[in-house]
Amino acid sequence: MSHHPIPPTPLVAGLPATVPFVAPEALQRQSGRTFRLRLGANESNFGPSPRALAAMREAAGRVNWYCDPESYDLRAAVAALHGVATYEIVFGSGIDDLLGLVVRTYLSPGETAVTSLGAYPTFNYHVAGYGGRLERVPYRDDRNDLEALAAAAHQHHARIVYLANPDNPTGSWYAAEVIRAFQDALPEGCLLMLDEAYIEFAPADEALPLDIGDPRSIRLRTFSKAHGMAGARIGYALGPAEMMSAFDRITLHFGINRVAQEGALAALADTTYLTYVVDEVARGREEYAALGRELGLTPLPSHTNFVTFDTGSPARAKALVAELARRDVFIRMPGAPPLDRCIRVTVGLAEERAAFADILRATVPEIPEIENR
Ligand SMILES: *Cc1c(COP(=O)(O)O)cnc(C)c1O
């Protein structure tokens, strides 16, 4: 007797097989080459703090133990850092994980979420995976179009609006008063999900304070970017106690790992290292901006650890990504118009920035302005 494979649920069967990102490792396997400069995923090439590294080395010896499912020590440290209560924090294996938790908790199948067209894609992936509907609003003037996002939220009775601030892939940033006005412009009962993966690189004096009392928003933070721990997979959500306790009903309580918990705790304590990374990244952004202007690639203003350059056309952006890959440099480009005329480059170490500048100076004249076909 022959058997058929068991089919997945209709929801899963109907999902596209695409993944949100093609990893540099996959690209290397395809090309058979190794990237010399890895500047495409906004990882911190500065690495974790030496103190975090030491803590993680030590924790590796106890990896036979499960993590503390309450992340008790780390929770206390995060609470102290932000001046919030310990029960206003939920940990997850990075923002990518927490985005799924938010969608699963607050979006019923068939309900609508709103995001920008070409924004960070993991949110969309979860919305599709939990059977939600997605409305995408084009970027305008290379920023999230807050007016149009709020209008779409009203028009489609959205339950969640996603906004990365600072934004990926543009690097743009909205100060506190703008975000407050945006929050007030959203429909009653619509959750504002603020993805603050790059918050450490933004001007602290302009940032939205942590009014956790506001039950209309959740804020997501990570150790992946400024803290240089992307591979450790740890981040957290900040929000009102009632909302955070809803997550506790469905979160994978042992889904983060002991090594990451110890590393994150040590990273938070090493403010000197964080300041060094943030300052060095600011210097690197200036270098990239000057390089872009020199080569006729207009840099967009950035409050992150990357710079997005306007190359003039999607065809030229694509050609530059391909030609740089041929020269063993990994960068990425936004996939959706109007940003698909841009390339996005992570700010690396000083020597990496110098090497990138040399390669870009050699590459750009070979890829002249191309008419978009
Ligand atoms: C890098 C990035 C993330 C990923 O965060 P993890 O904590 O590593 O899952 C989330 N959001 C944005 C906007 C990012 O650029």
Side-chain angles (χ1 to χ4, degrees), residues 7-229:
T9 65
L11 171 60
V12 172
L15 295 174
T18 50
V19 293
F21 302 102
V22 181
E25 286 80 2
L27 297 172
Q28 289 180 158
R29 283 190 289 271
Q30 281 164 21
S31 68
R33 301 177 64 93
T34 303
F35 287 120
R36 177 172 149 221
L37 292 174
R38 183 168 162 135
L39 303 173
N42 305 336
E43 296 152 326
S44 178
N45 290 352
F46 299 89
S49 134
R51 286 163 66 176
L53 201 54
M56 288 192 280
R57 285 213 172 92
E58 200 178 323
R62 288 191 305 275
V63 81
N64 53 309
W65 290 353
Y66 287 104
C67 70
D68 168 9
E70 292 171 47
S71 297
Y72 189 88
D73 297 336
L74 180 60
R75 180 180 297 273
V78 170
L81 173 69
H82 297 312
V84 305
T86 52
Y87 45 81
E88 292 169 329
I89 306 163
V90 165
F91 290 92
S93 52
I95 288 178
D96 284 3
D97 175 34
L98 293 158
L99 287 169
L101 208 55
V102 172
V103 171
R104 186 177 165 202
T105 307
Y106 291 103
L107 193 74
S108 294
E111 288 185 330
T112 300
V114 170
T115 185
S116 295
L117 174 67
Y120 187 71
T122 310
F123 176 67
N124 310 0
Y125 178 78
H126 289 303
V127 170
Y130 287 111
R133 288 184 57 248
L134 197 66
E135 283 297 328
R136 296 175 177 84
V137 173
Y139 279 85
R140 187 171 159 185
D141 301 332
D142 302 326
R143 311 174 70 103
N144 289 285
D145 186 345
L146 300 186
E147 224 170 277
L149 284 165
H154 281 278
Q155 186 188 341
H156 300 284
H157 308 287
R159 293 297 315 274
I160 308 178
V161 171
Y162 171 87
L163 181 71
N165 191 47
D167 183 58
N168 177 13
T170 62
S172 59
W173 160 250
Y174 285 117
E177 63 275 12
V178 181
I179 298 293
R180 279 214 187 85
F182 178 55
Q183 172 97 67
D184 290 340
L186 294 180
E188 185 61 34
C190 176
L191 171 68
L192 172 58
M193 200 166 62
L194 283 174
D195 179 340
E196 299 181 322
Y198 299 97
I199 193 73
E200 294 87 352
F201 300 107
D205 58 337
E206 294 178 12
L208 188 69
L210 288 156
D211 343 25
I212 297 296
D214 192 330
R216 300 174 299 170
S217 67
I218 288 176
R219 303 170 68 170
L220 303 177
R221 306 272 175 111
T222 182
F223 289 89
S224 294
K225 303 286 157 65
H227 288 291
M229 290 175 50

Side-chain angles (χ1 to χ4, degrees), residues 43-48 273 276-277 280-281 347-350 352-353:
E43 296 152 326
S44 178
N45 290 352
F46 299 89
Y273 186 76
Y276 153 72
V277 171
E280 190 58 25
V281 165
V347 173
L349 305 170
E352 294 175 318
R353 301 192 307 257

